[in-house]
Amino acid sequence: MKTLLQGNAAVARGLYEAGCAFVSSYPGTPSTEITEEAAKYDEICCEWAPNEKVAMEAAFGACLAGKRAFCGMKHVGLNVAADPLFTMSYTGVNAGLVIGVADDAGMHSSQNEQDSRHHAIAAKVPMLEPSDSAEALAFTKLAFEISERFDTPVLLKMCTRVSHSQSVVETGERMVPPERPYEKDIAKYVMMPGNAKKRHPVVEDRTKALRAYFEAGFQQYKEGDRDVTIVLNRIEMRNEEEVVSPFAKHLGIITSSTSYQYVKEVFGNRASILKLGAVNPLPDELLTEFAGEVDRVVVVEELDPVIEEHCKALGLKVEGKNILPLIDELSQNKVAYALREQVPQGKKLDDAIPVRPPVMCAGCPHRGVFYTLGKNKCVVLGDIGCYTLGAVAPLSAMEMTLCMGASVSAVHGFNKATGGESAKKTVGVIGDSTFMHSGMTGLANIAYNQSDSTVIILDNSITGMTGHQDNPTTGYNIKGDPAGKIDLEALCKAMGIENVSVVDPYDLAETDRIIKEETQKEGPSVIISRRPCVLLKNVRTAKPLRVNPDKCTGCTACMKIGCPAISMKEHPALRVPATSTTPRVAVVDQTLCVGCNVCVQMCHFDAYEGMSKEGITYAERGGKQS
Amino acid sequence: MKKTRNIMIVGVGGQGSLLASKLLGHLLLEEGYDVKVSEVHGMSQRGGSVVTYVRYGDKVYSPVIDEGEADVIVSFELLEAARYLSFLKPDGRIVTNTRQIDPMPVIIGAASYPADLVQKMRAKGVKVDALDCLSLAEEAGSAKAVNLVLLGRLSHYFEDIEEDAWDRAIEAVVPQRFVELNKKAFALGKALKE
Ligand SMILES: Cc1ncc(C[n+]2csc(CCOP(=O)(O)OP(=O)(O)O)c2C)c(N)n1
């Protein structure tokens, strides 16, 4: 059947069709939907793991046991899982093992812009790179074949534009993969030095074999075999009839992934293209052959010059990053500009258009904590999640964000280095999912090496940032069924943290009291700030508040919490046109306010009206949240 | 070969532009076109500026629309229409909701919301359909139907697509109990004389 499928959903479909039986992943934009979509197939046992390393090792266990397995993550997740990856390259697999990794050139939703192809090269594992949904589906299936045939994990590299764009695919049936019962093989699976030394040459030979395989696929294709399964790499020679000037140099472009689409958009059939579907190992002979057939070779690739430098090492004369940007994602206009083609232009207004950055939602439980930390002039070492928005004005109450878990580890180092009074002002702030991911080990360090550190766990009952995934603290699994639930208080206590308190961040006075108390204490403390994300399905919002314009003095105290539902406007009774000096009063946007009542506590003049007694309430949670 | 047509849908995270792009994608695929629909998820969903690209034609390559390429920009919020103006072709058209949502820099007084944006865009020679979608959506039965009001107006610029096809697309992508409401919102948007 022909359907429009998102790239990530196409990978999930590929998993289904390839007979994949086990998926374990950790969410991360833009990779998350692969696993969410895979969870919709009852035939696949699908799970969220606490982090990418755990996910990859779980998937490895399943492939060892004889089932095709998959593990998905965003680019930075592969850093976390790099440890198992590098040695799985040595052990190889039993049933096929595919690892999906999604890069985020342009950093739409990431903390850095790293290029995952370096991991493939460093770990010496093959990497396939689809350029649209149809290829995402086909390459996923092919990746399992390659994994089993060459006894290797295979990386499937996605990127924001391939993951999150929908294009047309033709779906097929689910296959039954060959039986591969587990067999004890200590020399292959126990990587101690004696065994690993024997496996390293196997890895090097495998890379040579893979390179030959990727070349051979193309040769077969060239000889007219259109059924060949591995046309991962292909050449599209230019159409001579479309070449305008007989004097123009014959341009040849080497490209892959979404960059291929930009090249085709600009050139159609006017340039010759070597489109690479396998970016590691690269096909040396094919690259050389292609370069020999054209007058000028340009490599068009996003981020680092990986293909370009490989070509240069082969002694080929190619251009690339000398004309194309190293930073940010590419686009058709950027490719056109670099290659001196016509670039379309649009119109612009003379006015400055104010930016619209993401904001903490109205009613977000994180708000009260950051307001209080700012008020107490705390040094806040932060982490990654929705709460990173605590760094944005007007809250501006987070001073460090590095990678998942770093808040807890860094606050310890910070406090050990400064000690004394400084430690009484310095806190680490981390979300529930991030704490499960890699905050626990940092807390073990605090408990063990004893610093006067305060860690605040923002427990909003969900993994918010990536679009509401369950995690080990929520009590539900990826299918929305009841699951094991880790008790954060008991966990912290079991680690030896004696001061563990729980606070409601909608109650500003109580939040202020607890933060003051715990930061002053000697020895480690954990504060759990507990309130569910307001966007969860079981949340019953309260009716919106209103400001009585005659009571509001325009003091702007309520503006300090940075709620998107509150703004300062002219008094509604004002009849003359407003000027810049017209006094203003607070106004609540009735479509955005959810009645969390935090603003009410900021007001000194009782101007906020219409609070419901019970405030926001919660229905029984059940089923999926995303 | 027919040239690829480009529709951009812009708005503020949480306004419901996803349904609009899903409906367009379905419609255009049913009409036999090659289609690509591209959106960015994640951080920008939370009250930030969001953009979706819909491209269709005989063969579509790039999943994104670049500056100077959009035939139509459909906007859920006025400032967002102005923000992406440079993506419009010189003879392109903007179909925009007149609703204004202040971004955080405006709320905290660090920037101001530019006045008279519709007039200013028209002064630059841009064709602008400016509609008060919220009141039409409410007339249809729900403030959430803003997206269908916009699509109703947009349907004017798809001369070769029959009204039936739009109806079928609504039936296919909207949950059963909201079909009538959405059809009504679509009709109101369509009937609107600018
Ligand atoms: C290694 C790594 N994996 C995944 C991500 C993607 N990611 C960013 S924040 C986040 C989870 C945030 O959830 P939580 O800590 O519960 O905070 P919330 O967003 O709910 O406030 C994830 C999965 C990442 N940035 N780095």
Side-chain angles (χ1 to χ4, degrees):
Chain A
M1 203 179 61
K2 229 174 155 186
T3 49
L4 206 54
L5 220 52
Q6 189 204 48
N8 282 344
V11 172
R13 181 73 202 180
L15 295 175
Y16 170 78
E17 291 181 14
C20 176
F22 183 79
V23 173
S24 178
S25 304
Y26 183 72
T29 314
S31 70
T32 312
E33 299 82 4
I34 301 177
T35 305
E36 287 178 330
E37 292 295 322
K40 293 180 183 164
Y41 297 104
D42 288 336
E43 294 85 345
I44 305 176
C45 170
C46 216
E47 298 177 348
W48 288 128
N51 71 29
E52 293 86 353
K53 173 171 145 68
V54 174
M56 192 182 285
E57 291 157 352
F60 176 69
C63 97
L64 208 59
K67 299 288 184 209
R68 287 189 169 183
F70 174 85
C71 162
M73 62 198 68
K74 68 184 289 165
H75 59 339
V76 285
L78 196 53
N79 303 338
V80 178
D83 201 8
L85 177 69
F86 276 63
T87 304
M88 269 160 34
S89 172
Y90 281 37
T91 61
V93 299
N94 178 25
L97 175 62
V98 177
I99 296 146
V101 55
D103 281 15
D104 189 20
M107 289 181 276
H108 297 279
S109 206
S110 301
Q111 67 267 39
N112 78 22
E113 204 172 25
Q114 70 186 50
D115 188 327
S116 297
R117 294 176 297 174
H118 297 296
H119 272 303
I121 295 167
K124 303 175 192 256
V125 294
M127 178 180 259
L128 310 187
E129 192 176 34
S131 71
D132 60 15
S133 298
E135 284 188 353
L137 197 166
F139 287 13
T140 301
K141 290 160 76 173
L142 189 52
F144 280 105
E145 305 286 330
I146 293 172
S147 173
E148 286 168 7
R149 177 157 170 188
F150 291 91
D151 192 9
T152 176
V154 175
L155 285 162
L156 181 76
K157 180 180 168 264
M158 304 290 285
C159 66
T160 298
R161 296 305 178 184
V162 176
S163 280
H164 285 166
S165 67
Q166 303 166 39
S167 55
V168 182
V169 303
E170 194 100 42
T171 56
E173 297 300 316
R174 181 169 166 94
M175 68 169 289
V176 181
E179 295 270 344
R180 288 175 170 267
Y182 170 69
E183 275 170 36
K184 183 170 174 177
D185 188 348
I186 291 175
K188 183 168 186 282
Y189 295 126
V190 180
M191 283 304 95
M192 50 190 178
N195 292 342
K197 274 183 188 166
K198 296 194 188 95
R199 293 297 299 176
H200 190 180
V202 175
V203 172
E204 300 302 335
D205 288 344
R206 182 181 69 206
T207 298
K208 280 189 208 135
L210 278 160
R211 181 168 280 134
Y213 175 73
F214 292 145
E215 309 256 20
F218 173 71
Q219 291 307 335
Q220 271 168 270
Y221 179 75
K222 223 169 63 170
E223 282 152 23
D225 180 1
R226 291 296 184 264
D227 291 332
V228 54
T229 50
I230 41 156
V231 275
L232 281 163
N233 303 323
R234 65 170 191 265
I235 290 176
E236 299 170 8
M237 288 312 275
R238 70 178 184 181
N239 180 348
E240 297 300 333
E241 283 166 25
E242 290 181 32
V243 179
V244 202
S245 160
F247 305 110
K249 275 190 175 178
H250 186 170
L251 175 64
I253 296 173
I254 302 173
T255 187
S256 72
S257 184
T258 187
S259 304
Y260 164 77
Q261 307 291 359
Y262 304 142
V263 167
K264 286 296 278 186
E265 190 72 36
V266 174
F267 289 98
N269 300 323
R270 288 187 293 116
S272 294
I273 298 170
L274 168 54
K275 150 97 168 68
L276 297 171
V279 288
N280 189 55
L282 286 166
D284 295 347
E285 282 172 32
L286 186 52
L287 291 165
T288 311
E289 182 182 319
F290 179 73
E293 286 182 36
V294 297
D295 303 325
R296 180 191 182 197
V297 188
V298 179
V299 181
V300 179
E301 60 191 318
E302 241 162 26
L303 301 178
D304 295 343
V306 173
I307 301 169
E308 179 183 346
E309 281 177 0
H310 186 89
C311 289
K312 285 180 176 163
L314 289 173
L316 305 176
K317 191 168 165 286
V318 301
E319 293 169 72
K321 295 296 167 186
N322 55 326
I323 53 173
L324 282 149
L326 185 67
I327 294 165
D328 206 348
E329 60 179 341
L330 295 180
S331 71
Q332 50 266 40
N333 283 3
K334 287 186 192 172
V335 170
Y337 179 80
L339 287 157
R340 312 247 166 153
E341 294 286 310
Q342 213 179 348
V343 181
Q345 305 272 309
K347 295 176 179 168
K348 268 205 165 76
L349 292 184
D350 307 322
D351 294 70
I353 306 291
V355 294
R356 191 187 297 277
V359 288
M360 261 183 206
C361 305
C364 175
H366 300 331
R367 178 171 285 109
V369 173
F370 287 102
Y371 168 71
T372 308
L373 289 170
K375 199 179 103 182
N376 285 292
K377 303 209 163 45
C378 290
V379 174
V380 181
L381 304 187
D383 225 296
I384 306 191
C386 288
Y387 51 94
T388 309
L389 293 168
V392 177
L395 293 168
S396 309
M398 184 183 286
E399 299 166 50
M400 189 279 290
T401 296
L402 185 66
C403 62
M404 296 192 89
S407 58
V408 185
S409 333
V411 75
H412 172 80
F414 200 96
N415 287 342
K416 282 280 180 171
T418 53
E421 284 310 300
S422 161
K424 300 204 158 89
K425 282 277 171 210
T426 310
V427 301
V429 176
I430 187 165
D432 51 343
S433 181
T434 308
F435 183 70
M436 283 293 117
H437 180 283
S438 46
M440 291 188 288
T441 40
L443 192 64
N445 190 38
I446 290 177
Y448 171 47
N449 286 309
Q450 288 288 308
S451 57
D452 293 341
S453 297
T454 302
V455 171
I456 303 177
I457 303 175
L458 301 171
D459 180 7
N460 62 351
S461 313
I462 204 75
T463 313
M465 171 94 192
T466 40
H468 287 178
Q469 291 75 32
D470 277 294
N471 69 53
T473 67
T474 69
Y476 292 85
N477 66 20
I478 192 172
K479 302 228 181 204
D481 296 327
K485 179 174 165 64
I486 289 178
D487 179 334
L488 284 171
E489 292 93 309
L491 174 72
C492 297
K493 289 217 163 119
M495 280 191 181
I497 310 286
E498 279 163 23
N499 304 312
V500 179
S501 41
V502 179
V503 68
D504 175 3
Y506 284 168
D507 183 341
L508 293 183
E510 186 64 4
T511 304
D512 187 58
R513 186 182 69 77
I514 299 263
I515 288 178
K516 282 201 169 87
E517 237 173 67
E518 293 303 324
T519 48
Q520 287 307 311
K521 281 184 187 161
E522 306 273 310
S525 301
V526 170
I527 303 170
I528 299 166
S529 162
R530 183 164 288 146
R531 263 287 173 174
C533 168
V534 272
L535 300 182
L536 290 177
K537 281 188 191 146
N538 63 324
V539 172
R540 302 286 170 263
T541 56
K543 66 179 198 299
L545 304 176
R546 284 177 194 280
V547 174
N548 182 334
D550 299 323
K551 282 191 178 173
C552 177
T553 63
C555 74
T556 71
C558 58
M559 298 299 290
K560 290 186 192 150
I561 55 173
C563 176
I566 311 174
S567 54
M568 302 300 289
K569 294 268 156 72
E570 292 79 40
H571 192 292
L574 190 76
R575 294 278 175 262
V576 291
T579 67
S580 57
T581 53
T582 311
R584 292 170 164 231
V585 293
V587 176
V588 177
D589 184 320
Q590 298 296 299
T591 62
L592 291 177
C593 177
V594 293
C596 75
N597 295 347
V598 170
C599 52
V600 178
Q601 303 164 55
M602 298 296 294
C603 183
H604 308 295
F605 304 98
D606 289 333
Y608 279 87
E609 294 175 351
M611 286 101 70
S612 62
K613 253 210 294 321
E614 63 281 9
I616 295 172
T617 57
Y618 305 90
E620 190 67 34
R621 222 219 94 163
K624 284 175 70 147
Q625 290 284 8
S626 63
Chain B
M1 197 160 124
K2 268 233 216 82
K3 263 199 94 71
T4 299
R5 286 241 303 166
N6 301 320
I7 316 284
M8 252 167 100
I9 305 171
V10 302
V12 177
Q15 277 193 303
S17 60
L18 250 53
L19 179 75
S21 60
K22 194 170 165 194
L23 199 145
L24 278 179
H26 183 91
L27 173 82
L28 295 164
L29 189 68
E30 288 290 304
E31 291 291 303
Y33 290 107
D34 186 25
V35 185
K36 279 190 179 163
V37 177
S38 197
E39 54 221 9
V40 173
H41 302 231
M43 189 98 171
S44 52
Q45 277 180 308
R46 308 275 178 261
S49 168
V50 292
V51 47
T52 303
Y53 308 107
V54 179
R55 311 192 70 218
Y56 66 100
D58 288 341
K59 174 76 193 152
V60 179
Y61 290 107
S62 173
V64 298
I65 296 169
D66 213 331
E67 296 213 337
E69 289 192 326
D71 293 280
V72 186
I73 294 178
V74 178
S75 178
F76 282 68
E77 199 278 345
L78 195 53
L79 185 66
E80 296 311 305
R83 183 185 315 286
Y84 291 101
L85 179 62
S86 64
F87 283 74
L88 198 66
K89 278 184 183 162
D91 61 344
R93 178 178 294 272
I94 288 183
V95 176
T96 184
N97 187 359
T98 47
R99 168 117 206 253
Q100 301 192 6
I101 302 175
D102 287 346
M104 195 47 79
V106 171
I107 290 178
I108 65 172
S112 56
Y113 197 111
D116 308 322
L117 285 171
V118 173
Q119 289 85 326
K120 283 173 185 163
M121 290 193 280
R122 285 188 180 139
K124 291 268 172 192
V126 179
K127 290 176 272 186
V128 184
D129 296 0
L131 338 167
D132 176 6
C133 299
L134 190 60
S135 57
L136 289 174
E138 278 166 355
E139 190 184 329
S142 163
K144 290 201 174 122
V146 162
N147 40 23
L148 268 292
V149 175
L150 283 168
L151 288 183
R153 182 69 207 179
L154 176 71
S155 67
H156 283 268
Y157 309 111
F158 287 79
E159 291 90 1
D160 41 353
I161 297 182
E162 315 252 318
E163 180 145 357
D164 282 4
W166 287 94
D167 277 348
R168 283 196 305 274
I170 294 173
E171 285 158 22
V173 305
V174 172
Q176 180 58 38
R177 60 205 163 103
F178 297 126
V179 166
E180 277 321 304
L181 188 160
N182 278 293
K183 280 188 180 168
K184 192 165 167 205
F186 181 86
L188 285 172
K190 187 170 169 155
L192 205 70
K193 296 278 175 297
E194 222 265 314

